Amino acid sequence: MSQARTGGSLAIRVSVIAALAGLLFGLDIAYVNGSLDLISKTFHLTTATKGEVAGMLLIGAAIGALFSGTLSRKFGRKKVLILASLIFTVFILLGVVAPTFEIFLISRFIVGLAVGIASFVAPLYLSEVAPPKIRGGLIAMYQFMITIGIFLMFLSNSALASTNSWRIMLLVVVIPAAIMLIGCLTLPESPRWFILQGKHGEAEIVLTKIRNTKEEVDLEMSEMKEATKDKASALKLLKHKWFWKVLILGAMLQAFQQFTGMNAFMYYSTQIFQQAGFSNPAVATIVVGLVNMLTTILAIKYVDKFGRKPILYFGLTLLFISAFFVGFVFKTHYHVVNGVGIMHLSAALQWSTLFFCLVFIFGFAISMGPIIWIICSEIQPLEGRDLGITVSTMTNWICNAILGTYAVIWLTYHPGNTFFAFGAVCVVCVFFTMMFVPETKGVTLEEMELKLRSGAKLKNIGA
Ligand code: BGC
């Protein structure tokens, strides 16, 4: 019995360390929101070069995600996680002391590489070490760490605002980076990666440590062996139509996730609240971070209970309603005069706008935020998982970079239409989910793979 409990708690400890990657992801994304004006003063930036500060990290992330598949296949998940945390620690420090804007941008780009690598390897690792029953919850925990990172950064940036030092704001991020580095050194390698290397003995040793009973170990060992019997390489899988189906599904889901517009809030919430006439937009931004974080706890609790699809429908409906409301307010009250947005709202309308912005955050954090990462890590066949998750994660970063770069312009000139567009994406996504998304709750990865290979329709490969 105590052996059993040890297995379960070890799996959770291991997951917490891997999920630290999510924390750094969140901290790095949110860093710009609150520090950009200070950076801009130090380096005398123009509007265009300001955009590079946010954009450089996202471009780095897309490239990092591109190489992370090959890296983690070749060297193993653990080593790549160590590499990412080493890059985080060293290059965040370089950013802190950067004497010129060019060096600062280089550090942002390289930290971006680590963000991209970690955003690929951490969920992959989690999906491979987590017991099937709580797999969704553990990957949702990764998302939770992202939201904690975002919230902490909003808080920390606003608490450190009086120092007027973006360097101190950045220095804060070094602490979790160093903790992750130390933690990753203690992680076991993924049993599934061992199987892929033909090292069955090693796989069994790790599995015995992180599972509760011998039966669980035996079952998972035989399922994993079965799934890797046909040693096709990921590239060879490309000649199968069924592999293309999950590749495209993953990429589409990540594109939908980004174009719901959540990151418009993550990067530019301060501007949105300023436009809506709030005298203290930084406080509203902290509330956004808080709602995002707390809601993710609910998602963790319910994702393995109600399943992925019902929660997606629920969240997308909230996203649509709130995007439509906020869009309507901007559409009817907002004007641009000489390049400056003007809007006069009654107190009631102002508070309703804030309320619906928070409903929007809630809707995303309960559904699209965690669940897309979960599904993307679950649907790929074992042999093609590295390539599959690379494709979906890269799509996430590319769309994120597009949104991060242009949303600031859209929000300045056409905020109403921007929110209508976000709402429209949600409607399309509901139909897409109905037609193509499988319910992956409680199903083993191998079961799904068997159905996929046997030519089942995408939405039928799950439960
Ligand atoms: C998304 C990020 C987003 C975050 C917000 C994640 O699932 O991939 O782009 O910033 O959620 O919590």
Side-chain angles (χ1 to χ4, degrees), residues 72-106:
S72 69
R73 193 179 178 87
K74 202 162 174 183
F75 301 108
R77 288 48 164 140
K78 174 182 171 165
K79 288 207 185 87
V80 176
L81 278 173
I82 294 174
L83 174 74
S85 37
L86 193 65
I87 296 180
F88 272 129
T89 316
V90 174
F91 286 90
I92 289 169
L93 272 177
L94 177 69
V96 171
V97 297
T100 65
F101 185 53
E102 286 68 31
I103 294 180
F104 179 69
L105 277 190
I106 290 172

Side-chain angles (χ1 to χ4, degrees), residues 71-237:
L71 286 177
S72 69
R73 193 179 178 87
K74 202 162 174 183
F75 301 108
R77 288 48 164 140
K78 174 182 171 165
K79 288 207 185 87
V80 176
L81 278 173
I82 294 174
L83 174 74
S85 37
L86 193 65
I87 296 180
F88 272 129
T89 316
V90 174
F91 286 90
I92 289 169
L93 272 177
L94 177 69
V96 171
V97 297
T100 65
F101 185 53
E102 286 68 31
I103 294 180
F104 179 69
L105 277 190
I106 290 172
S107 79
R108 294 308 290 158
F109 175 75
I110 298 178
V111 169
L113 290 177
V115 170
I117 291 174
S119 71
F120 167 88
V121 186
L124 173 73
Y125 180 84
L126 285 170
S127 79
E128 292 182 340
V129 297
K133 254 193 272 163
I134 58 163
R135 199 176 54 222
L138 281 182
I139 303 172
M141 195 177 72
Y142 170 75
Q143 173 68 23
F144 181 47
M145 300 295 268
I146 298 180
T147 62
I148 297 180
I150 293 171
F151 174 64
L152 289 180
M153 201 73 243
F154 286 167
L155 258 190
S156 152
N157 275 356
S158 113
L160 293 171
S162 60
T163 65
N164 276 331
S165 167
W166 57 268
R167 296 186 196 270
I168 295 178
M169 292 175 176
L170 189 56
L171 189 61
V172 171
V173 187
V174 178
I175 301 164
I179 294 176
M180 178 179 160
L181 179 58
I182 295 164
C184 281
L185 293 169
T186 70
L187 290 179
E189 184 48 88
S190 150
R192 276 166 218 264
W193 183 74
F194 277 134
I195 295 273
L196 281 173
Q197 301 297 306
K199 297 180 178 166
H200 294 191
E202 275 99 329
E204 194 166 347
I205 293 173
V206 176
L207 218 46
T208 308
K209 283 192 198 144
I210 58 176
R211 290 293 177 268
N212 290 333
T213 61
K214 174 124 181 33
E215 291 74 49
E216 280 174 287
V217 174
D218 292 344
L219 180 69
E220 265 188 79
M221 278 300 290
S222 69
E223 282 183 339
M224 284 192 291
K225 282 184 207 159
E226 184 60 29
T228 42
K229 221 167 49 191
D230 167 22
K231 280 253 173 203
S233 84
L235 291 178
K236 280 197 202 133
L237 287 186

Side-chain angles (χ1 to χ4, degrees), residues 306-321:
F306 294 128
R308 288 49 164 156
K309 288 178 78 170
I311 301 182
L312 278 181
Y313 294 138
F314 172 64
L316 284 165
T317 308
L318 291 181
L319 280 167
F320 167 72
I321 295 171

Side-chain angles (χ1 to χ4, degrees), residues 9 24 33 41 142 232 289:
S9 60
L24 287 161
N33 198 341
K41 272 186 207 143
Y142 170 75

Side-chain angles (χ1 to χ4, degrees), residues 25-26 29 58 142-143 146-148 150 254 257-258 262-263 266-267 292-293 296 361 364-365 368-373 396-397 400:
F25 177 151
I29 279 190
L58 299 171
Y142 170 75
Q143 173 68 23
I146 298 180
T147 62
I148 297 180
I150 293 171
Q254 289 287 14
Q257 192 212 48
Q258 288 304 309
M262 172 62 162
N263 281 325
M266 296 298 102
Y267 308 139
N292 187 27
M293 182 179 84
T296 306
I361 305 297
F364 180 90
M368 294 298 279
I371 292 179
I372 298 307
W373 288 106
N396 176 290
W397 287 113
N400 195 340

